[in-house]
């Protein structure tokens, strides 16, 4: 069974635990079988409406090898297509969210091979997912790991998280949006300092700089991220996607263009049943029952 089919089947079976590791010893292979070696994907929340992706390559501190990126994208696309999922949480381990691109895989690459093979073509799928994605960052978020976190819509951090763009220390630069997203979020001086020295910042510094919205004790982080995702998933999914699109436009458009887009999306919400339901529920003093239409 291909990874996508296996994941879809399991997701439809309800509170699925997807630990799919065919290339690992049998003891580590989930009974349902399947194809994931580097991630765990499961549905969470009281209403089973949150997709949780956990990066699971502990021996390499979740270094982002091409296989992991492929599996991450498969899980994200499956959750994007699953109508019961309203938000996604992306996390790693308590020690490491992700330690960056797999440096061992970078060793033999050349300009020619990167360019011809379009090496980074699969690295920004996360930034095109329409459902909200919350990064729950414990431990290291370095290089491509920090870049992945910044592609998410909300970043929560554990108290001991560390963020950094240390590519300069191995003779390269961020390649998956680090110089752009970090600069937009934390400003030029701190972004330059991080990119040019490779120094890391703590969760507390990241929060102060606006990279992180909330900090939690290490062991509470994922639970808190899931609770936030459940809150988001309880709203209208279609209107939530419009809200996400409007906020993201602030990073890509001029103020005038962004405001025009916001107005169009605002008007568009009036074409949904959910907007009618939300407004009626308020007036009738009852809880809204959104149908995602
Ligand atoms: C491959 C990695 C790795 C990485 C850690 N490991 N990071 N393998 N790629 N990015 C492996 C180590 O080789 C080692 O495996 C094991 O994980 C544990 O790592 P240690 O270094 O022994 O652990 P520790 O002393 O705790 O130090 C942790 C660390 C350090 C600070 C995170 O590992 C580190 O600096 N890693 C590299 C971080 C980095 O430079 N990231 C940016 C990569 S470039 P073995 O088997 O050897 O014991 C990048 C570009 C993105 O991300 C652009 C888009 C693609």
């Amino acid at each position: 069974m291909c990874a996508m089919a296996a994941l879809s089947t399991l997701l439809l079976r309800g509170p699925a635990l997807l630990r799919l590791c065919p290339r690992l010893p049998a003891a580590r292979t989930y009974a349902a079988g399947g194809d994931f070696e580097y991630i765990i994907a499961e549905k969470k929340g009281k209403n089973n409406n949150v997709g949780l992706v956990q990066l699971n390559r502990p021996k390499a501190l979740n270094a982002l090898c091409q296989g992991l990126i492929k599996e991450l994208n498969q899980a994200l696309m499956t959750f994007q297509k699953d109508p019961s999922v309203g938000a996604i949480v992306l996390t790693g381990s308590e020690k490491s969210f992700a330690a960056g691109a797999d440096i061992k895989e970078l060793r033999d690459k050349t300009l020619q091979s990167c360019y011809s093979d379009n090496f980074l073509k699969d690295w920004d799928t996360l930034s095109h997912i329409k459902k909200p994605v919350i990064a729950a960052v414990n431990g290291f978020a370095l290089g491509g790991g920090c870049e992945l976190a910044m592609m998410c819509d909300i970043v929560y951090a554990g108290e001991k998280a560390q963020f950094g763009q240390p590519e300069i220390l191995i003779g390269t630069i961020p390649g998956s949006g680090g110089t752009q997203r970090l600069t937009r979020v934390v400003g030029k001086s701190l972004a330059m300092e991080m990119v040019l020295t490779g120094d890391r910042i703590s969760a507390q510094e990241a929060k102060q700089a606006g990279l992180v919205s909330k900090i939690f004790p290490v062991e509470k982080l994922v639970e808190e991220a899931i609770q936030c995702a459940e809150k988001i998933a309880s709203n209208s999914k279609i209107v939530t996607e419009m809200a996400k699109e409007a906020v993201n436009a602030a990073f890509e458009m001029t103020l005038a263009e962004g405001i025009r887009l916001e107005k169009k999306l605002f008007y568009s919400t009036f074409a949904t049943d959910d907007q009618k339901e939300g407004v009626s529920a308020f007036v009738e003093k009852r809880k809204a029952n959104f149908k995602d239409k």
Side-chain angles (χ1 to χ4, degrees):
M1 196 186 300
C2 74
M4 186 77 90
L7 182 56
S8 302
T9 310
L10 286 161
L11 292 177
L12 289 171
R13 282 186 196 151
L17 171 65
L18 305 170
R19 191 171 205 146
L20 310 170
C21 316
R23 279 171 275 174
L24 296 179
R28 293 187 60 195
T29 304
Y30 187 62
D35 302 293
F36 287 148
E37 181 177 354
Y38 304 113
I39 67 166
I40 297 166
E42 51 188 314
K43 292 217 279 190
K44 290 283 193 181
K46 286 185 255 343
N47 297 320
N48 224 24
N49 56 3
V50 173
L52 175 69
V53 181
Q54 184 183 3
L55 308 183
N56 184 38
R57 200 187 169 207
K59 284 193 183 139
L61 302 179
N62 291 332
L64 303 164
C65 59
Q66 291 291 19
L68 186 153
I69 292 290
K70 209 168 165 194
E71 291 184 1
L72 169 64
N73 291 346
Q74 286 173 349
L76 290 171
M77 292 312 293
T78 302
F79 286 140
Q80 176 62 41
K81 286 183 191 152
D82 184 335
S84 72
V85 170
I88 299 165
V89 173
L90 175 63
T91 194
S93 67
E94 290 194 356
K95 180 152 191 213
S96 183
F97 177 73
D102 189 319
I103 298 171
K104 292 165 192 166
E105 279 187 356
L106 299 182
R107 208 166 166 182
D108 297 328
K109 291 205 182 296
T110 61
L111 162 65
Q112 287 83 351
S113 71
C114 287
Y115 192 76
S116 305
D117 303 344
N118 203 358
F119 165 43
L120 294 178
K121 70 177 181 313
D122 298 325
W123 279 67
D124 65 348
T125 300
L126 177 54
S127 67
H128 299 295
I129 294 294
K130 295 185 97 176
K131 291 179 182 176
V133 186
I134 302 170
V137 178
N138 268 323
F140 301 115
L142 303 179
C146 187
E147 291 173 309
L148 265 194
M150 290 190 292
M151 283 180 217
C152 295
D153 303 302
I154 296 172
V155 185
Y156 279 3
E159 295 166 325
K160 297 192 177 138
Q162 294 181 32
F163 296 81
Q165 297 289 164
E167 289 90 341
I168 198 78
L169 304 176
I170 58 165
T172 185
I173 69 168
S176 199
T179 60
Q180 303 305 299
R181 291 196 177 92
L182 187 65
T183 308
R184 280 166 170 75
V185 173
V186 308
K188 180 174 168 179
S189 182
L190 181 55
M192 279 290 190
E193 199 182 337
M194 289 171 71
V195 170
L196 300 184
T197 66
D199 285 352
R200 302 176 213 151
I201 58 171
S202 66
Q204 293 71 23
E205 288 166 308
K207 180 163 184 294
Q208 201 175 8
L211 187 58
V212 157
S213 59
K214 286 190 178 132
I215 299 177
F216 296 100
V218 171
E219 66 287 355
K220 287 260 174 233
L221 173 70
V222 176
E223 189 185 316
E224 293 284 351
I226 291 170
Q227 275 177 28
C228 175
E230 283 185 277
K231 203 181 271 186
I232 291 169
S234 72
N235 296 321
S236 163
K237 293 186 183 63
I238 174 84
V239 177
T240 295
E241 289 186 7
M242 289 184 193
K244 170 169 168 167
E245 185 183 344
V247 174
N248 276 336
F251 292 95
E252 286 166 8
M253 292 179 168
T254 64
L255 182 60
E257 285 166 344
I259 283 173
R260 264 199 302 277
L261 177 74
E262 182 193 74
K263 233 176 233 106
K264 285 180 186 158
L265 287 166
F266 172 75
Y267 296 156
S268 300
T269 65
F270 285 68
T272 66
D273 292 350
D274 284 347
Q275 186 271 346
K276 301 286 167 265
E277 166 62 9
V279 171
S280 300
F282 178 82
V283 174
E284 292 160 19
K285 297 189 186 299
R286 61 175 174 81
K287 195 171 175 300
N289 180 16
F290 295 121
K291 297 274 184 2
D292 306 318
K293 288 183 185 159

